[in-house]
């Protein structure tokens, strides 16, 4: 599966058994998954908090471009890269 | 150690050594403490709470067979309550549908199910438990229906190596999200049974390539974690991702160890979570600090550019094969004893597969560990 699987209308969500946690010991957000955890930067947290299965990709990108006052094209590229990686690792679905 | 010690991220809780199966490669020690020596529910709960406090993210509830503990549900519920990501590592045998549903409701996050082979008859023979294979299929279906992620775990050795890749297909059919294909590592019972388990170099290479090919084929459908065959490798594995670096084990009697086999190294002092806090056991126990980081290393590791990648390999293997736990793991082609590996692999892979030493509790020895 590659990034091409996303359309603007895809509604990504974290699969069961994959969840965000604010880790008080490491003082950062982590994504917990089977046998793995990923430390997340602020933008990744913002992206994943919006992956609730109801928000389409376009809306997630719009919101983040707005929040960070960033170029929509750049934001979309970042969002797709993060989500494609998680899709391949079977942590996310559409 | 110059850098402050980072918090551990994973804890393997060996709740019990009791298990209905008797896999010849089991990583449990040769002398296993019995039920009477196991920690109580309250003791385990206290340890899980401490684990969460010091930064553990994943709690792996293992054994033996964790379902042999009558308080499994209470322990899972407690782990979930203190915010641990809770993973059940099970043979499937001993679980009932009711218990499984209750575990899910209590907050279980993930199930790791072991399989012995992709073929029923062979699987049951390897595990020494008739009907075990059918039971696993049933459990896999419960997991799939619950929506929880399922990892299938298969240990590869001479008796099943021709079906290593078939086990990946099998896991896909069980709707597993992950599969761990682990070529046997020779510690504990596997070391005792090495002559029955060791595949030939050709078998290893073929199986390895076939499994790797599945990785491409199933991309996005199943995640394949492939633990390469040690005895036919050029460099050792970063055993446990480095001694005392990310994870620790707690034995059924409360010993806190860097890995399954750490207690086979004589003269190392490990502490017990019954007597001291987990934080102390992790940070200060002499056994953990003996091989942490890279300061303890000798040549050729000391001046090797890979030393923070593989941490010189496995200490227990260095002891077993080079008679010195601080030596370079002889799996490494830079080790002066590397030639031993080829010799052992060639010799031991030529024996016939029969008469495993079945994993068994030795009731006369159980008091040793406490
Ligand atoms: S490896 Fe086999 S014998 Fe050992 S605990 Fe697992 S299922 Fe039981
Ligand atoms: S010499 Fe030591 S550090 Fe270098 S590759 Fe071999 S085991 Fe690893």
């Amino acid at each position: 599966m590659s990034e091409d699987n996303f359309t603007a209308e895809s509604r990504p969500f974290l699969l069961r058994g994959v969840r965000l946690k604010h880790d008080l010991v490491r003082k950062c957000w982590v994504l917990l998954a089977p046998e793995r955890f990923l430390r997340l930067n602020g933008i990744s947290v913002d992206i994943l908090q919006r992956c609730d299965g109801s928000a389409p990709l376009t809306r997630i990108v719009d919101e983040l471009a707005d929040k960070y006052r960033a170029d929509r094209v750049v934001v979309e590229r970042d969002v797709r890269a993060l989500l494609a990686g998680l899709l391949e690792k079977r942590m996310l679905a559409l | 150690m110059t850098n402050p010690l980072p918090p551990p991220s994973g804890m393997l809780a060996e709740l019990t050594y009791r298990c209905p199966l008797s896999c010849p490669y089991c990583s449990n020690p040769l002398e296993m403490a019995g039920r009477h020596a196991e920690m109580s529910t309250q003791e385990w709960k206290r340890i899980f709470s401490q684990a969460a406090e010091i930064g553990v993210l994943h709690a792996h509830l293992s054994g033996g067979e964790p379902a042999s503990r009558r308080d499994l549900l209470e322990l899972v519920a407690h782990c979930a309550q203190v915010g641990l990501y809770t993973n059940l590592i099970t043979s499937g045998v001993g679980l009932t549908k009711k218990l499984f549903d209750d575990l899910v409701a209590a907050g279980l996050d993930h199930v790791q199910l072991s399989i012995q082979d992709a073929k029923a008859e062979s699987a049951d023979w390897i595990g020494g438990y008739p009907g075990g294979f059918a039971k696993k299929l049933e459990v896999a279906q419960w997991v799939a229906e619950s929506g929880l992620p399922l990892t299938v775990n298969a240990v590869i050795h001479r008796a099943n190596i021709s079906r290593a890749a078939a086990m990946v297909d099998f896991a896909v059919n069980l709707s597993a999200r992950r599969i761990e294909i682990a070529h046997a590592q020779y510690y504990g019972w596997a070391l005792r049974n090495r002559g029955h388990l060791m595949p030939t170099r050709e078998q290893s290479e073929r199986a390895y390539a076939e499994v790797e090919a599945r990785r491409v084929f199933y991309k996005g459908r199943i995640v394949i974690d492939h633990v390469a065959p040690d005895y036919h490798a050029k460099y050792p594995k970063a055993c446990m991702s480095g001694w005392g670096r990310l994870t620790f084990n707690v034995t059924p009697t409360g010993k806190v160890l860097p890995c399954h086999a750490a207690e086979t190294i004589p003269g190392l002092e490990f502490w017990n979570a019954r007597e001291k806090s987990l934080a102390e056991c992790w940070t200060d126990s002499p056994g953990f600090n003996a091989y942490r980081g890279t300061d303890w290393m000798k040549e050729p590791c000391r001046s090797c550019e890979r030393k923070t990648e593989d941490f010189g390999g496995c200490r227990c293997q260095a002891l077993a094969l080079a008679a010195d736990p601080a030596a370079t793991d002889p799996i490494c082609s830079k080790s002066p004893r590397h030639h031993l590996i080829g010799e052992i692999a060639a010799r031991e892979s030529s024996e016939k597969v029969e008469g495993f030493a079945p994993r068994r509790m030795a009731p006369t020895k159980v008091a040793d560990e406490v």
Side-chain angles (χ1 to χ4, degrees), chain B residues 235-236 297 300-301 304 306-307 310-313 328-329 332 334:
Chain B
Y235 296 120
M297 287 179 177
C301 294
C304 177
R306 288 179 52 89
K307 71 177 175 185
D310 64 30
F311 300 94
T328 295
D329 185 338
C332 181
K334 294 186 181 181

Side-chain angles (χ1 to χ4, degrees), chain A residues 59-77:
Chain A
R59 198 202 306 159
I60 297 174
V61 173
D62 286 342
E63 283 184 17
L64 292 172
D66 207 42
K67 175 166 178 183
Y68 289 97
R69 293 193 198 151
D71 182 352
R72 205 183 174 287
V73 177
V74 177
V75 173
E76 176 156 359
R77 200 188 56 207

Side-chain angles (χ1 to χ4, degrees), chain A residues 1 15-19 21 23 25-26 30 32-37 87-90, chain B residues 8-9 53 55 58 83 85 87 104 109 112 146-147 149 177-178 219-221 223 225:
Chain A
M1 256 173 241
L15 283 170
R16 180 123 189 231
V18 182
R19 56 189 164 84
K21 174 180 177 168
D23 180 358
V25 175
R26 290 171 190 75
V30 292
L32 298 177
E35 314 285 340
R36 281 193 177 45
F37 76 95
L87 204 56
E88 190 182 317
K89 295 192 184 91
R90 301 255 15 227
Chain B
S9 55
E53 280 162 25
H58 286 93
Y85 187 101
N87 174 23
V104 175
D109 288 293
Q112 182 178 314
S146 76
R177 270 191 229 168
R178 281 180 75 244
K219 195 171 173 199
R221 286 180 68 189
V223 176
D225 272 347

Side-chain angles (χ1 to χ4, degrees), chain B residues 17-28 62-65 90-91 114 116 127 136 155 359:
Chain B
Y17 289 134
R18 286 174 285 144
C19 182
L21 274 64
S22 52
C23 306
Y25 48 75
C26 183
S27 58
N28 287 161
S62 178
E65 170 51 53
T90 179
S91 68
S114 66
Q116 281 64 27
K136 286 162 194 285
V155 175
R359 171 202 192 276

